[in-house]
Amino acid sequence: MTGSAAQGKQPSALAGRFAGRRIVVTGGSRGLGGEVVRLLLAEGARVATCARTAESLDRARRTFGAGDELFTRPLDVAAPELLEQFVESAAATFDGGLDGVVACAGGARGRGITEATAEDWAETWALNAGHFARLAACATPYLRASGGGSIVVVSSISGWKPGPQAQYGASKAAQLHMVTSLARELGPYGIRVNAVSPGSMLIPGKRWDRMRQEDPAAYQQFAAEFPGRELVRPEEVADAIAFLLSDQARGVTGVNLPVDRGQNAPTPQGY
């Protein structure tokens, strides 16, 4: 953000860091994305989020107790035209501009290199690198219209710490490269671009939580990859994302911020 535009976005201390801000978060119905949306709403933002199903978005709306300050739409972020329409609709709902964007949706398809198909690689790339690239591209005009803003992508420690599957790690590494490139490209417009790379997160009902309940010995062995023997909490990652979106990080761009509790290997396989 630059000049008077940045000054005009300063919230009061009582209103929260994001009072009056308009922020898009992909994949915000549950898990880490849900934590990000919850935090932004609590601090005064108007938020647009998407997920694969209307049912998951309806549940999220009830959970957050959200009203008009939350705009939702079901879609597949790997479909570029649907993602672009979502961003356009969100900006229109938010008076023609945006102040922040979080690319949180992502995923992986396929197994090891000899089993993964070309389609597995293409789908994993589209979910992660492709989705981030398209989101940044279509959000940039709206961020510029607001005088600048912040783009954050949720990458992964798998982007530089080797672990299966290769198609996932490669797509996450691509996100990190795009961050450094886009920070230079978009900086003249007052747009900051950063990444947050979570370690393995303990999310209720997800992989590591199931392991903890179903195979405690294996879980404890995996927890040894963390110096404090505790996995990452999604709210810890959400706090880091909110920092990068906020004016507190106005001098920060082009960085990758790991939130991994010092994790070594990203998977129980140990590599």
Side-chain angles (χ1 to χ4, degrees), residues 81-125:
E81 67 282 358
L82 297 180
L83 185 61
E84 292 169 10
Q85 292 167 11
F86 165 65
V87 173
E88 291 169 0
S89 297
T93 300
F94 296 156
D95 308 317
L98 296 173
D99 303 299
V101 176
V102 182
C104 192
R109 299 288 185 272
R111 299 177 66 84
I113 189 65
T114 60
E115 300 171 78
T117 65
E119 290 75 18
D120 292 331
W121 277 83
E123 288 182 25
T124 301
W125 189 268

Side-chain angles (χ1 to χ4, degrees), residues 162-249:
Q165 310 300 330
Q167 59 269 29
Y168 179 72
S171 67
K172 289 298 179 178
Q175 288 180 328
L176 298 179
H177 186 279
M178 280 193 284
V179 162
T180 59
S181 179
L182 293 179
R184 297 294 298 271
E185 181 178 347
L186 301 180
Y189 308 120
I191 299 172
R192 298 182 294 107
V193 187
N194 295 290
V196 168
S197 287
S200 299
M201 288 185 286
L202 188 61
I203 299 174
K206 291 295 189 177
R207 178 183 182 184
W208 309 122
D209 188 41
R210 293 197 303 270
M211 176 188 283
R212 180 177 63 168
Q213 298 179 55
E214 298 168 4
D215 193 346
Y219 179 80
Q220 289 304 318
Q221 183 177 357
F222 179 47
E225 297 290 345
F226 300 77
R229 293 185 176 269
E230 291 187 16
L231 274 66
V232 179
R233 304 278 176 172
E235 56 268 27
E236 296 167 344
V237 184
D239 284 339
I241 293 169
F243 165 70
L244 291 174
L245 286 170
S246 76
D247 289 339
Q248 294 170 304

Side-chain angles (χ1 to χ4, degrees), residues 27-60:
S29 66
R30 59 181 181 172
L32 173 58
E35 281 294 327
V36 173
V37 171
R38 180 197 60 77
L39 178 57
L40 294 175
L41 290 172
E43 295 211 36
R46 288 187 286 172
V47 180
T49 195
C50 59
R52 284 186 174 273
T53 68
E55 291 77 13
S56 64
L57 291 168
D58 289 341
R59 283 195 301 271

Side-chain angles (χ1 to χ4, degrees), residues 147-172:
S150 175
I151 298 174
V152 180
V153 61
V154 177
S155 187
S156 169
I157 62 170
S158 295
W160 73 95
K161 294 184 179 183
Q165 310 300 330
Q167 59 269 29
Y168 179 72
S171 67
K172 289 298 179 178

Side-chain angles (χ1 to χ4, degrees), residues 12-23:
S12 71
L14 293 177
R17 284 179 292 176
F18 301 106
R21 305 291 174 96
R22 302 153 297 180
I23 302 174

